[in-house]
Amino acid sequence: MSRLAARSEASVETLAAGVLAGERRTLARAITLVESSRREHQVRARGLVEALLPHTGRSLRVGVSGAPGVGKSTLLETLGLHVAGKGRRLAVLAVDPSSAVSGGSILGDKTRMERLAQHPDTFIRPSPSGGTVGGVAEKTREAILLCEAAGYGVIMVETVGVGQSEVAVAGMVDMFILLQLPHAGDDLQALKKGIVELADMVVVNKADLDVSAAERAAEQVQNVIALLAPASAHWTPPVLAVSALTGAGVPELWGHVERFHQAMTATGEFHARRRRQAVDWMWSLIDAELRARFRHHSSVRESLERLTDAVSRGTIEPSAAARELLAAAREDT
């Protein structure tokens, strides 16, 4: 066995020990393992996550979303340097969109956060979305746990940023920050986006380009938030204008994050949200496994291509094809 192959097949115990020791290379290999689609790797990954689970849960998880071009990576670098400068160990999980044609991803976030990547107390991991709906990678939750086990006290998840589907990250973080641009539109357009309802904070970035426009945009979003039912009686999502390029407003942004954490912890809502997310994660894993078993069922595989082709040609109704496939899946069960 080559040295590279031997390293890739490191035992679960070895990987767990390296992650707990805070070894960044081992953490990267562990995340690669949990992201693998190979069945044998999935078995080892489950063992790794189970071994590390008692050492997780002690971080602050922050999700950052926004449309392409809003400046998510730039803001995360500026904010990350501020957080690291306060003595906090920080991990950034940056999700890049996967090509619908080739399935590949550029994974350029680490390059875009060059200064942050060089900081000794930070870890940046770009991952492909793999077409997963909701702007996050399929194994983002597991990657969060691994980073927590490695001792990172702040975990930031940067999403793909493709529109209204940017909601999955809100179900796996403690605080969800939505980035907006000046001149993003009027109150009605902001309200239509729906995602504002999930935000624990809204940040109008690139305020340095047009201060008055950024302030107007912040006021418009604030008006929208005033119309929405608050997710918590103890927290009103703040709206602020910042400049990731100059750093203006970034310390205030982090101050709001810390106050949110304190407020939600004091009321018990912080841990209540974590418990709900754990249950949701369980059901998502069940759904994924049932879907995988369905597609790999021998009788389903025999009919799937034929029925898929028939549906695409319009010679059979999708509902009829679904009933036939489900009936096939019930065979030998």
Side-chain angles (χ1 to χ4, degrees), residues 157-241:
V157 182
E158 178 197 357
T159 68
V160 169
V162 291
Q164 286 189 343
S165 66
E166 286 294 289
V167 297
V169 68
M172 62 179 69
V173 296
D174 304 313
M175 185 176 195
F176 176 44
I177 300 176
L178 175 63
L179 268 58
Q180 296 278 76
L181 284 170
H183 308 295
D186 58 20
D187 294 25
L188 181 59
Q189 288 174 317
L191 183 59
K192 284 180 178 179
K193 292 181 180 178
I195 194 173
V196 175
E197 293 182 281
L198 298 174
D200 299 304
M201 185 194 314
V202 179
V203 174
V204 180
N205 192 24
K206 301 188 179 181
D208 56 292
L209 298 180
D210 190 333
V211 176
S212 60
E215 291 175 348
R216 286 196 303 271
E219 183 179 354
Q220 290 170 355
V221 176
Q222 191 69 70
N223 292 338
V224 171
I225 290 176
L227 299 175
L228 303 174
S232 169
H234 304 93
W235 182 259
T236 300
V239 183
L240 61 157

Side-chain angles (χ1 to χ4, degrees), residues 307-330:
L307 290 171
T308 299
D309 181 63
V311 169
S312 68
R313 288 186 288 104
T315 59
I316 185 174
E317 287 293 321
S319 58
R323 286 195 299 271
E324 184 173 339
L325 288 170
L326 289 169
R330 286 193 291 269

Side-chain angles (χ1 to χ4, degrees), residues 206-321:
K206 301 188 179 181
D208 56 292
L209 298 180
D210 190 333
V211 176
S212 60
E215 291 175 348
R216 286 196 303 271
E219 183 179 354
Q220 290 170 355
V221 176
Q222 191 69 70
N223 292 338
V224 171
I225 290 176
L227 299 175
L228 303 174
S232 169
H234 304 93
W235 182 259
T236 300
V239 183
L240 61 157
V242 307
S243 170
L245 189 62
T246 67
V250 170
E252 291 78 8
L253 190 164
W254 183 247
H256 282 301
V257 173
E258 293 183 317
R259 283 189 287 276
F260 174 84
H261 187 203
Q262 293 166 0
M264 296 298 100
T265 301
T267 62
E269 294 175 67
F270 183 88
H271 295 292
R273 178 183 287 197
R274 285 275 181 100
R275 290 192 292 269
R276 290 194 303 270
Q277 290 175 349
V279 173
D280 291 342
W281 186 13
M282 177 191 74
W283 279 110
S284 68
L285 292 173
I286 291 172
D287 291 341
E289 181 63 21
L290 288 175
R291 184 181 179 90
R293 291 188 183 187
F294 176 82
R295 295 181 68 92
H296 286 88
H297 191 284
S298 58
S299 298
V300 170
R301 290 170 63 182
E302 291 175 3
S303 305
L304 185 58
E305 184 176 352
R306 171 180 59 82
L307 290 171
T308 299
D309 181 63
V311 169
S312 68
R313 288 186 288 104
T315 59
I316 185 174
E317 287 293 321
S319 58

Side-chain angles (χ1 to χ4, degrees), residues 27 48 75 77-78 86 96 102 140 152 156 201 228 236 257 272 330:
L27 175 58
L48 177 62
L75 179 63
E77 178 170 56
T78 304
K86 296 172 71 69
D96 271 7
S102 67
T140 298
Y152 291 96
M156 294 187 182
M201 185 194 314
L228 303 174
T236 300
V257 173
R330 286 193 291 269

